[in-house]
């Protein structure tokens, strides 16, 4: 039977139009939610994806060499330390004592993960070294060029941070690029200056600070960011002691987010377009609902 004005009263017709419009609006908005990923999903995966999206460079994962590997060097008999082969390791000639040590550079992304500087090419970190190290071919000064993968046989040669119950030091993953030496007298003073950043992306890197441990084997259970100190706090070096003839300093650098911000802004432009389209579609659904209601009311004025 055909519907007539008498068969379908004004309130019922208007209500029907409004209901149809509401369904259309909800369907459109739900489709947008699904399309932009806000309709649910694995929050852990989304969080991980967000972390990766918000860094200028992904973490560089390099397992530490194990015994028998080419770059595994030595492990203390009492498990107090472990050493890996470092191409920048030299012995003083003539050997003047048992003094040994390292100066290292760790570069982190915005999430605090070790990286090799692929995102900051043609940039250098230079650490002036004192007269005590001028005999070393890679000292006076110690220069680190990024990306490490383009400039060195071993981009990362030391596991300076983290812990692993199966290792005397470190967490089993390389995180630093180091200069090593042996053979200094045990009353020698090792000095170094503040790190100098130069090159194409120097402004994209900030100096977090310095972590210095003198007169002991390196304790890796320290946080590269939380435990970093100012250069003044380290006094720019240390003097060897007979019973403590080892010492190390790690200069901690971190991307300051400028590159990531630029990438994020670029993504925001795209997302903004999508958000804009989504916003207009959402408004369109509401406008359609209002229009339908207007038609209904105008028909029965």
């Amino acid at each position: 039977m055909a519907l007539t004005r008498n068969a379908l009263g004004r309130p019922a017709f208007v209500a029907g139009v409004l209901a149809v419009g509401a369904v259309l609006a909800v369907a459109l908005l739900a489709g947008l939610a699904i399309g932009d990923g806000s309709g649910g999903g694995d929050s852990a995966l989304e969080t991980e994806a967000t972390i990766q999206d918000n860094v200028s460079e992904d973490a560089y994962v390099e397992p530490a060499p194990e015994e028998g590997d080419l770059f595994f060097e030595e492990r203390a008999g009492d498990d107090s330390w472990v050493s890996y082969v470092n191409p920048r390791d030299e012995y003083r000639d003539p050997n003047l004592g048992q003094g040994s040590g390292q100066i290292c550079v760790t570069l982190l992304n915005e999430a605090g993960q070790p990286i090799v500087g692929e995102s900051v090419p043609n940039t250098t970190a230079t650490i002036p070294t004192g007269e005590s190290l001028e005999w070393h071919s890679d000292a006076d000064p110690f220069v680190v060029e990024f990306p490490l993968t383009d400039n060195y046989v071993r981009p990362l040669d030391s596991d300076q941070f983290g812990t692993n119950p199966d290792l005397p030091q470190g967490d089993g993953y390389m995180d630093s690029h180091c200069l090593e030496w042996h053979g200094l007298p045990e009353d020698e003073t090792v000095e170094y200056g503040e790190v100098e950043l130069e090159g194409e992306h120097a402004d994209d890197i900030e100096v977090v600070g310095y972590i210095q441990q003198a007169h002991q084997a390196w304790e890796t259970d320290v946080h590269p960011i939380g435990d970093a100190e100012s250069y003044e706090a380290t006094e720019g070096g240390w003097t060897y002691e007979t019973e403590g003839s080892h010492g190390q300093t790690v200069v901690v650098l971190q991307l300051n987010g400028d590159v990531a911000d630029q990438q994020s802004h670029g993504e925001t432009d795209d997302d903004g377009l999508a958000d804009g389209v989504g916003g207009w579609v959402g408004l369109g659904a509401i406008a359609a609902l209002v229009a339908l209601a207007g038609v209904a009311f105008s028909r029965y004025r």
Side-chain angles (χ1 to χ4, degrees):
M1 178 178 71
L3 294 177
T4 65
R5 178 176 176 177
N6 291 332
L8 184 59
R10 181 188 304 172
F13 179 80
V14 172
V17 172
L18 292 174
V20 171
V23 170
L24 288 173
V26 170
L28 285 168
L29 294 173
L32 288 172
I34 293 172
D36 69 8
S38 63
D42 190 319
S43 60
L45 291 177
E46 290 174 356
T47 300
E48 178 65 23
T50 299
I51 291 175
Q52 294 304 320
D53 287 343
N54 289 335
V55 297
S56 306
E57 181 176 339
D58 291 343
Y60 188 84
V61 180
E62 181 183 348
E66 298 181 354
E67 292 191 54
D69 291 346
L70 177 63
F71 292 111
F72 183 90
E73 187 171 37
E74 192 175 358
R75 184 170 183 158
D78 61 358
D79 261 358
S80 59
W81 52 265
V82 62
S83 179
Y84 308 105
V85 173
N86 180 353
R88 292 207 190 199
D89 186 5
E90 290 189 18
Y91 288 76
R92 195 189 189 297
D93 185 17
N95 187 309
L96 301 176
Q98 298 302 311
S100 63
Q102 288 181 291
I103 295 178
C104 306
V105 170
T106 292
L107 177 61
L108 308 173
N109 63 18
E110 294 86 346
Q113 303 164 317
I115 57 175
V116 292
E118 297 286 356
S119 61
V120 287
N122 304 314
T123 305
T124 61
T126 301
I127 303 171
T129 52
E131 294 180 359
S132 61
L133 295 178
E134 64 184 0
W135 58 271
H136 196 299
S137 63
D138 284 312
D140 196 30
F142 173 39
V143 180
V144 177
E145 301 177 73
F146 299 112
L148 299 172
T149 43
D150 287 352
N151 295 294
Y152 306 102
V153 174
R154 300 199 65 201
L156 299 177
D157 48 51
S158 188
D159 181 5
Q160 296 292 103
F161 300 104
T163 60
N164 182 315
D166 297 326
L167 294 173
Q169 294 175 305
D171 61 1
Y173 293 92
M174 310 303 262
D175 50 42
S176 304
H177 185 85
C178 302
L179 164 79
E180 294 188 46
W181 64 85
H182 303 267
L184 295 186
E186 294 180 353
D187 60 353
E188 185 76 275
T189 295
V190 172
E191 296 178 330
Y192 57 89
E194 294 187 67
V195 63
E196 302 167 3
L197 300 174
E198 298 178 303
E200 184 177 340
H201 294 278
D203 292 340
D204 296 326
I205 303 174
E206 68 173 284
V207 180
V208 177
Y210 303 73
I211 300 178
Q212 179 174 291
Q213 297 178 22
H215 320 307
Q216 60 179 325
W218 181 256
E219 174 55 62
T220 63
D221 188 17
V222 293
H223 196 282
I225 296 176
D227 292 320
E229 299 180 303
S230 67
Y231 173 78
E232 289 74 20
T234 68
E235 299 182 348
W238 68 91
T239 300
Y240 287 112
E241 298 176 354
T242 302
E243 299 301 323
S245 59
H246 184 75
Q248 295 188 47
T249 289
V250 178
V251 179
V252 182
L253 309 176
Q254 185 173 30
L255 299 184
N256 59 26
D258 286 355
V259 179
D261 287 345
Q262 292 170 12
Q263 293 175 348
S264 176
H265 293 160
E267 292 167 0
T268 299
D269 291 340
D270 295 338
D271 293 343
L273 177 60
D275 291 343
V277 172
W280 283 110
V281 173
L283 290 174
I286 295 172
L289 176 59
V290 173
L292 286 170
V295 169
F297 280 108
S298 65
R299 181 176 177 182
Y300 287 98
R301 285 185 299 177

